[in-house]
Coordinates of all heavy atoms in Angstrom, one line a residue:
E221 N -19.5 -23.0 -0.5 CA -19.2 -23.9 0.6 C -20.3 -25.0 0.6 O -21.5 -24.8 0.4 CB -19.3 -23.3 2.0 CG -18.1 -22.4 2.3 CD -16.8 -23.1 2.5 OE1 -16.9 -24.3 2.9 OE2 -15.7 -22.6 2.3
Y222 N -19.8 -26.3 0.8 CA -20.7 -27.4 0.9 C -21.3 -27.4 2.3 O -20.7 -27.0 3.3 CB -19.9 -28.7 0.7 CG -19.9 -29.3 -0.7 CD1 -18.7 -29.2 -1.4 CD2 -21.0 -29.9 -1.2 CE1 -18.7 -29.7 -2.7 CE2 -20.9 -30.4 -2.5 CZ -19.8 -30.3 -3.3 OH -19.7 -30.7 -4.5
N223 N -22.5 -28.0 2.4 CA -23.2 -28.2 3.7 C -22.8 -29.5 4.2 O -23.0 -30.5 3.5 CB -24.7 -28.1 3.5 CG -25.5 -28.1 4.8 OD1 -25.1 -28.6 5.8 ND2 -26.7 -27.4 4.8
H224 N -22.4 -29.6 5.5 CA -21.9 -30.8 6.0 C -23.1 -31.7 6.5 O -22.9 -32.9 6.7 CB -21.0 -30.6 7.2 CG -19.6 -30.1 6.8 ND1 -18.5 -31.0 6.7 CD2 -19.2 -28.9 6.4 CE1 -17.5 -30.3 6.3 NE2 -17.8 -29.0 6.1
D226 N -26.3 -31.8 4.8 CA -26.9 -32.3 3.6 C -25.9 -31.9 2.5 O -25.8 -30.8 2.0 CB -28.2 -31.6 3.3 CG -29.0 -32.2 2.1 OD1 -28.3 -32.9 1.4 OD2 -30.1 -31.9 1.9
T227 N -25.1 -32.9 2.0 CA -24.0 -32.7 1.1 C -24.5 -32.4 -0.3 O -23.6 -32.1 -1.2 CB -23.1 -33.9 1.1 OG1 -23.9 -35.1 0.7 CG2 -22.5 -34.2 2.4
H228 N -25.8 -32.4 -0.6 CA -26.3 -32.0 -1.9 C -26.4 -30.5 -2.0 O -26.7 -30.0 -3.1 CB -27.6 -32.7 -2.2 CG -27.6 -34.2 -2.3 ND1 -27.1 -34.8 -3.3 CD2 -27.9 -35.1 -1.4 CE1 -27.1 -36.1 -3.2 NE2 -27.7 -36.3 -2.0
I229 N -26.3 -29.8 -0.9 CA -26.6 -28.3 -0.8 C -25.3 -27.6 -0.7 O -24.4 -27.9 0.1 CB -27.5 -28.0 0.3 CG1 -28.9 -28.6 0.1 CG2 -27.7 -26.5 0.5 CD1 -29.9 -28.4 1.2
L230 N -25.2 -26.5 -1.5 CA -24.1 -25.6 -1.4 C -24.6 -24.2 -1.2 O -25.6 -23.8 -1.8 CB -23.2 -25.6 -2.7 CG -22.5 -26.9 -3.0 CD1 -23.4 -27.7 -4.0 CD2 -21.1 -26.7 -3.7
I231 N -23.9 -23.3 -0.5 CA -24.2 -21.9 -0.3 C -23.1 -21.1 -1.0 O -21.9 -21.5 -0.9 CB -24.3 -21.6 1.2 CG1 -24.9 -20.2 1.4 CG2 -23.0 -21.7 1.9 CD1 -26.3 -20.1 1.3
Y241 N -28.4 -20.4 -2.6 CA -27.9 -21.8 -2.4 C -28.5 -22.7 -3.5 O -29.5 -22.4 -4.2 CB -28.4 -22.3 -1.0 CG -29.9 -22.8 -0.9 CD1 -30.2 -24.1 -1.1 CD2 -30.9 -21.9 -0.6 CE1 -31.5 -24.6 -1.0 CE2 -32.2 -22.3 -0.5 CZ -32.5 -23.7 -0.7 OH -33.8 -24.1 -0.6
W242 N -27.7 -23.8 -3.7 CA -28.0 -24.7 -4.8 C -28.2 -26.1 -4.2 O -27.6 -26.5 -3.2 CB -26.8 -24.8 -5.8 CG -26.7 -23.7 -6.7 CD1 -27.1 -23.7 -8.0 CD2 -26.2 -22.4 -6.5 NE1 -26.8 -22.5 -8.6 CE2 -26.3 -21.6 -7.7 CE3 -25.6 -21.7 -5.4 CZ2 -25.9 -20.3 -7.8 CZ3 -25.2 -20.4 -5.4 CH2 -25.3 -19.7 -6.7
D243 N -29.0 -26.9 -4.9 CA -29.2 -28.3 -4.5 C -28.9 -29.0 -5.8 O -29.5 -28.9 -6.9 CB -30.7 -28.6 -4.1 CG -30.9 -30.0 -3.6 OD1 -30.1 -30.9 -4.0 OD2 -31.8 -30.2 -2.7
T244 N -27.8 -29.9 -5.7 CA -27.3 -30.6 -6.9 C -28.4 -31.5 -7.5 O -28.3 -31.9 -8.7 CB -26.1 -31.4 -6.6 OG1 -26.3 -32.3 -5.5 CG2 -24.9 -30.4 -6.1
R245 N -29.4 -31.9 -6.7 CA -30.4 -32.7 -7.3 C -31.4 -31.9 -8.1 O -32.3 -32.5 -8.8 CB -31.2 -33.4 -6.1 CG -30.3 -34.4 -5.3 CD -30.9 -34.7 -4.0 NE -31.0 -33.6 -3.1 CZ -31.3 -33.7 -1.8 NH1 -31.6 -34.8 -1.2 NH2 -31.3 -32.6 -1.1
W269 N -21.4 -22.3 7.2 CA -22.5 -23.0 7.7 C -22.4 -23.1 9.2 O -21.4 -23.4 9.7 CB -22.6 -24.4 7.1 CG -23.0 -24.4 5.7 CD1 -22.2 -24.6 4.6 CD2 -24.3 -24.3 5.1 NE1 -22.9 -24.6 3.4 CE2 -24.2 -24.4 3.7 CE3 -25.6 -24.2 5.7 CZ2 -25.3 -24.4 2.9 CZ3 -26.7 -24.1 4.8 CH2 -26.6 -24.2 3.5
I292 N -31.7 -20.7 5.1 CA -32.0 -20.9 3.7 C -33.5 -21.3 3.4 O -33.9 -21.3 2.3 CB -31.1 -22.0 3.1 CG1 -31.3 -23.4 3.8 CG2 -29.6 -21.6 3.2 CD1 -30.5 -24.5 3.2

Side-chain angles (χ1 to χ4, degrees):
E221 288 291 335
Y222 269 105
N223 189 332
H224 286 261
D226 188 348
T227 57
H228 296 284
I229 294 178
L230 298 95
I231 190 80
Y241 82 92
W242 282 259
D243 190 331
T244 56
R245 296 163 294 189
W269 289 98
I292 62 172

